[in-house]
Amino acid sequence: MNLPEARWWTPQTDKTVRCELCPRHCLIADGACGYCGVRVNKCGVLYSQSYGRPVSIAVDPIEKKPLRHFMQGSRTLSFGTFGCNLGCIFCQNDSLSRGCYHDWHIYDETPPEELVDLAKQHHCPSISYTYNEPTVFAEYLIDIARVAHQHGLKNVLVSNGYISPEAASELYPLIDAANIDMKGFSETYYKEMCNASLEPVLDNLQRLYRLGVHLEITTLVIPDKNDSDDELLEWLKWVAENLDKQIPLHFSAYHPAYKCHIRPTPSATLYHIRDLANQHGFSNVHLGNIF
């Protein structure tokens, strides 16, 4: 499979290109990749290295995404590629998010129709775009999602929500359910811990909500970073005012990973967060990664 030309980019001078897939708007020199590591500029044309090249495919319970209020008890065909457009130092899956494709390696090629057939063979009523950040393979995702709908399958997005309005306007209407990672409710946290910004994520949460997509939201709770009562109460207030209190909220325990070696999240912290949310009228609160 030849690499397909990417979408959402504009040519610049000297064969550089401006990628417009996500809020980074990477300026990519000839021969280089964007921040995500999978969108490559070749002679002034941007290509998607991840199109048709999943590197992890599995059949999971839908609850593992995590989705607790969508197609409960069903299984979903899950897959991911290399690449991510955030730089979370605490990444729990860095082998994929920071992985990259190599010209010398031959990758299995899986066109959209084949993934849909695979889901049907395993009696999965949905396909989940997950493991790494699906935004970076948006072209592939859109093509699969359209075929999936033609065959009566649902599309599930597990994402950081860091995508441009232009790309979101094409991708999000194809999504039936989404779990969005809200890393921490402050610009400082996003800048220091993820090398990104909070505002686009909030905008995209509202975009999904307005579209009527089934929405659940997950926060990985890291001690002394995003677990203060003040920050959590501000987050709950934002959800109540901009979404609604019935939105399922997931709070998961952090364990040291990648470049972050902070102590694991105590179980008591998560139970406290759940109590705090319940006290403010949030009834669909779920805890994860507690051992």
Side-chain angles (χ1 to χ4, degrees), residues 190-246:
Y190 264 83
K191 181 179 180 180
E192 294 180 353
M193 301 292 284
C194 307
N195 192 21
S197 175
L198 170 63
E199 185 176 0
V201 180
L202 299 181
D203 290 343
N204 284 318
L205 285 171
Q206 293 177 87
R207 182 172 283 109
L208 286 163
Y209 182 73
R210 289 193 301 267
L211 285 169
V213 173
H214 174 85
L215 179 62
E216 304 192 20
I217 305 171
T218 295
T219 299
L220 186 70
V221 179
I222 302 181
D224 303 321
K225 293 295 183 179
N226 63 352
D227 62 344
S228 72
D229 281 6
D230 287 346
E231 182 173 318
L232 291 164
L233 287 172
E234 284 298 311
W235 166 233
L236 295 175
K237 179 182 177 183
W238 186 91
V239 174
E241 292 178 350
N242 295 277
L243 307 176
D244 68 61
K245 291 185 178 182
Q246 300 307 308

Side-chain angles (χ1 to χ4, degrees), residues 115-179:
L115 266 175
V116 172
D117 286 344
L118 192 59
K120 293 169 67 178
Q121 289 170 22
H122 288 276
H123 306 288
C124 296
S126 65
I127 297 177
S128 291
Y129 311 94
T130 180
Y131 299 147
N132 72 313
E133 174 47 48
T135 295
V136 305
F137 59 86
E139 296 89 351
Y140 188 35
L141 193 166
I142 285 172
D143 287 351
I144 297 167
R146 287 172 175 159
V147 177
H149 276 170
Q150 291 170 6
H151 289 264
L153 304 183
K154 302 295 185 182
N155 294 302
V156 174
L157 180 70
V158 183
S159 171
N160 59 33
Y162 210 61
I163 185 171
S164 69
E166 296 79 13
S169 68
E170 296 187 55
L171 189 155
Y172 282 1
L174 296 168
I175 300 302
D176 299 289
N179 189 302

Side-chain angles (χ1 to χ4, degrees), residues 1 4 48-54 81 101 107-112 140:
M1 179 185 293
S48 171
Q49 291 181 306
S50 53
Y51 192 103
R53 291 171 157 184
T81 69
Y101 295 92
Y107 298 91
D108 291 335
E109 297 172 357
T110 310
Y140 188 35

Side-chain angles (χ1 to χ4, degrees), residues 3 33 36-39 48-56 80-83 96 98-108 132 136-137 140:
L3 290 183
C33 289
C36 64
V38 296
R39 297 170 73 78
S48 171
Q49 291 181 306
S50 53
Y51 192 103
R53 291 171 157 184
V55 294
S56 181
T81 69
F82 289 130
L96 293 186
R98 300 271 64 90
C100 59
Y101 295 92
H102 299 283
D103 291 340
W104 47 262
H105 185 86
I106 298 175
Y107 298 91
D108 291 335
N132 72 313
V136 305
F137 59 86
Y140 188 35

Side-chain angles (χ1 to χ4, degrees), residues 52-117:
R53 291 171 157 184
V55 294
S56 181
I57 302 176
V59 174
D60 293 324
I62 195 74
E63 289 82 3
K64 191 177 178 180
K65 296 305 97 188
L67 288 174
R68 293 290 295 274
H69 299 266
F70 181 80
M71 302 184 76
Q72 292 174 302
S74 69
R75 302 194 305 168
T76 183
L77 182 75
S78 304
F79 82 91
T81 69
F82 289 130
C84 185
N85 59 350
L86 291 192
C88 303
I89 64 171
F90 51 84
C91 182
Q92 308 285 290
N93 202 10
D94 60 284
S95 62
L96 293 186
S97 67
R98 300 271 64 90
C100 59
Y101 295 92
H102 299 283
D103 291 340
W104 47 262
H105 185 86
I106 298 175
Y107 298 91
D108 291 335
E109 297 172 357
T110 310
E113 295 79 8
E114 189 172 319
L115 266 175
V116 172
D117 286 344

